[in-house]
Structures are given as structure tokens and as C-alpha cells.
Amino acid sequence: MENELRDFEKVNRANWESRVPLHLEGYQLDRFREDPEFLSGVVRFDTARLGDLAGLDVVHLQCHIGTDTVSLARLGARVTGLDFSPSALDAARELASDTGASIEFVLSSVFDAPSALGDKRFDVVYTGIGALCWLSDICAWARVVAALLRPGGRLYIREGHPVLWAMDDSRDDDLLVLRYPYFEIPGGTAFYDTSTYVASERVVSSPDTIQFNHGLGEIVSAVMAAGMTLTQLVEHDSVPWNPFADQMEQDEIGEWRLREGRERIPLTYTLEAVKAL
Ligand SMILES: C[S@@+](CC[C@H](N)C(=O)[O-])C[C@H]1O[C@@H](n2cnc3c(N)ncnc32)[C@H](O)[C@@H]1O
């Protein structure tokens, strides 16, 4: 990694490095090795809105251990994955190699992606599902996305809804209570959590994180200010991880929904935007 990480990124990278061994057990990677057509639940959920990726150059920002990245390659895209966690990229390279997927993986902060990727430009920037909450400045992120796209290329993101990120996830009743910032705030919010979103007997050895919320209006405005035009914005009542323990039930592709009163709250959203020709 050429560029020095920012202070909050150093804290967060240590956390992600320590989650990787737990995720290697919890993500059930053998499903990708055993079935050459297996797609992650996240990408399966996206297929209806994602359109045909065959032959397109796609960069997957914050690709983690590569499960969604390999799934995008299985849809026919030429994929590049980018993440700032060396352990995550080691795991992603191994998964790609074991499954015969030809994917380039690049170690970099998202904020330095245009220089890390050199002259490469893409038809699609794909990201989300726990990506934006690690980024301090949504306008800077949107400028990175625009810089990576060819004219006419598109951003596709499905992400945890900012209302969900603002909720108190530690309650044991069925009330939905706002606790954390909805809007982007300088410095973000510090958290301490020895667990991760994948069930494990083991604890996360670097439990400190600094996370950032961005309101839906802030995200849309940042995308527009960076020169992209919105082509889809859909809010969903489901999410691919369980944020509210016993209040939730899971469907067959792994999406979680509230058992009761699911019309009360958006849990994720899909946003697509096109860079001007
Ligand atoms: C929740 S994971 C993404 C999950 C992914 N959707 C999946 O399930 O495979 C978040 C990823 O963002 C990466 N990350 C966090 N902050 C980053 C930054 N500033 N630059 C690059 N990667 C970052 C972490 O290393 C981690 O792999």
C-alpha cells in the first residue's frame, strides 16, 4: 500500500484484520468451491437490479474476502477487487484461485483507489453491505467513484440504510430506538465490540472501531455533486445480516426481515447512478 492510512483507518484496519479468521469459518467458502455456479446471497439479491455484467469491467470496492467479488466474476464480469486489509485480500486471492476466477486484487484505502488502480477505468463500481460506514467523508468517496468510472459507467451500491445504522441494536424488547447519529459527523462514532456479524465462538482481538453514518440525502447529494445521475433508488425491508437478534427471521437466500411490523423501518437501499458521457 503506497499511501499512508489515515488515523481512523489504522484503527479500523486492525479490527478488520482480526475479523478475517472468524469470517473464514463463518462465510462457508466451500459452497463456492463445491458448486461453480454458487453466488453469494448478496449478489443473488442484486441480480434483478444489477443488469447484465457480461464482458464489463467491474471494480468491487471494499471487497473483503472476495465472496461477492467471485460471484460478480461468475456473472461474466472482468473484476478487480480492492480492500485495505491484507488478510482479507490473501483470503480473497485464495478463493479466486481455488475457484478458477481470474480476478485482480489491489491493496488500498478506498480514498486512494484512483492512484492505486493507475489508469484503469471501469464500466461499473460495485460496493456496499457494510462499506460506507467505514468512510469519513461521503463527498470524497463519491469523487473517488466518479474518478474510477468511464464516461457512461455506473455506480451500483446496496448498503445498510442510514436509519438502520442509527438504531440501538442492543435492546431486548421489540422497540426500534434511534441512538446513534443519522448524519455524517466529523470524527465519527467510536465503538467497542468483541463480536462480529458472523456467529463465532471466538472473539475479535482488535475490538475498537470508528464508524461514520451518512444520511440518505447526503449520499444522493454527494453522488450528484460528483457528476453522476441517479437511475435507481429503492429502499428494502430486508438486510443480509441480523441486526436485531430474535426480532428477525431469515429467508432462503439469507435475507433478514423483522418478524413483526416490518413496514416501520427501511433496512437497506439500492442506489444506481450513471456518470455523464
Ligand atoms: C463489511 S466488509 C464488506 C463486506 C462485503 N460486502 C462482504 O460481505 O464480503 C467491509 C470491508 O471494508 C474494508 N474497509 C474498511 N475501510 C476501508 C477503507 N478505508 N479502504 C478500503 N477498505 C476498507 C474492510 O477491510 C472490509 O473488508
Side-chain angles (χ1 to χ4, degrees):
M1 193 147 24
E2 261 174 45
N3 294 289
E4 175 77 0
L5 291 181
R6 296 130 195 97
D7 286 345
F8 73 89
E9 289 180 308
K10 290 179 184 160
V11 174
N12 291 338
R13 184 177 58 174
N15 173 259
W16 280 104
E17 284 289 285
S18 70
R19 290 198 208 201
V20 168
L22 282 58
H23 290 189
L24 286 177
E25 290 167 6
Y27 267 63
Q28 297 177 279
L29 297 176
D30 280 344
R31 293 177 300 176
F32 291 86
R33 298 189 174 98
E34 285 157 9
D35 177 358
E37 290 179 16
F38 183 81
L39 300 177
S40 66
V42 167
V43 169
R44 259 184 286 165
F45 183 93
D46 287 339
T47 44
R49 293 176 195 84
L50 193 50
D52 187 5
L53 293 186
L56 297 185
D57 290 313
V58 175
V59 63
H60 181 194
L61 298 181
Q62 295 175 253
C63 65
H64 196 42
I65 58 175
T67 49
D68 299 337
T69 330
V70 166
S71 301
L72 295 170
R74 288 181 171 184
L75 294 179
R78 279 187 300 274
V79 194
T80 303
L82 180 139
D83 202 284
F84 73 178
S85 159
S87 305
L89 289 193
D90 286 347
R93 285 192 185 99
E94 191 175 323
L95 181 66
S97 153
D98 288 354
T99 56
S102 170
I103 298 174
E104 186 188 354
F105 289 100
V106 175
L107 183 69
S108 170
S109 161
V110 165
F111 293 117
D112 303 318
S115 64
L117 292 164
D119 295 335
K120 280 192 85 172
R121 295 296 173 262
F122 300 89
D123 302 305
V124 178
V125 171
Y126 178 96
T127 189
I129 306 302
L132 296 192
C133 58
W134 305 101
L135 306 181
S136 55
D137 180 343
I138 198 67
C139 290
W141 167 81
R143 288 193 294 273
V144 164
V145 170
L148 294 176
L149 286 173
R150 296 183 174 129
R154 62 193 163 101
L155 161 68
Y156 183 97
I157 175 168
R158 181 184 176 220
E159 183 54 282
H161 199 287
V163 169
L164 173 61
W165 296 130
M167 302 301 298
D168 187 346
D169 56 0
S170 64
R171 300 180 67 87
D172 50 17
D173 56 26
D174 64 355
L175 293 177
L176 298 172
V177 175
L178 287 168
R179 177 172 180 188
Y180 301 110
Y182 172 84
F183 295 110
E184 183 177 298
I185 57 164
T189 306
F191 290 93
Y192 178 94
D193 190 351
T194 56
S195 66
T196 180
Y197 53 85
V198 173
S200 175
E201 309 266 288
R202 298 156 71 187
V203 295
V204 171
S205 57
S206 295
D208 292 304
T209 59
I210 299 170
Q211 299 187 33
F212 304 86
N213 207 352
H214 319 279
L216 197 57
E218 291 175 326
I219 297 165
V220 169
S221 300
V223 165
M224 289 164 61
M228 292 173 270
T229 304
L230 225 60
T231 48
Q232 292 191 54
L233 178 57
V234 188
E235 292 168 299
H236 309 289
D237 67 0
S238 71
V239 56
W241 72 90
N242 183 353
F244 299 127
D246 293 344
Q247 287 192 64
M248 306 293 284
E249 63 187 14
Q250 195 174 25
D251 72 13
E252 66 289 345
I253 72 159
E255 289 286 311
W256 294 87
R257 290 181 177 79
L258 284 167
R259 288 182 203 279
E260 308 276 344
R262 58 183 62 154
E263 64 284 352
R264 287 179 290 167
I265 180 176
L267 297 179
T268 51
Y269 65 92
T270 299
L271 182 157
E272 185 189 58
V274 175
K275 179 173 165 171
L277 279 170

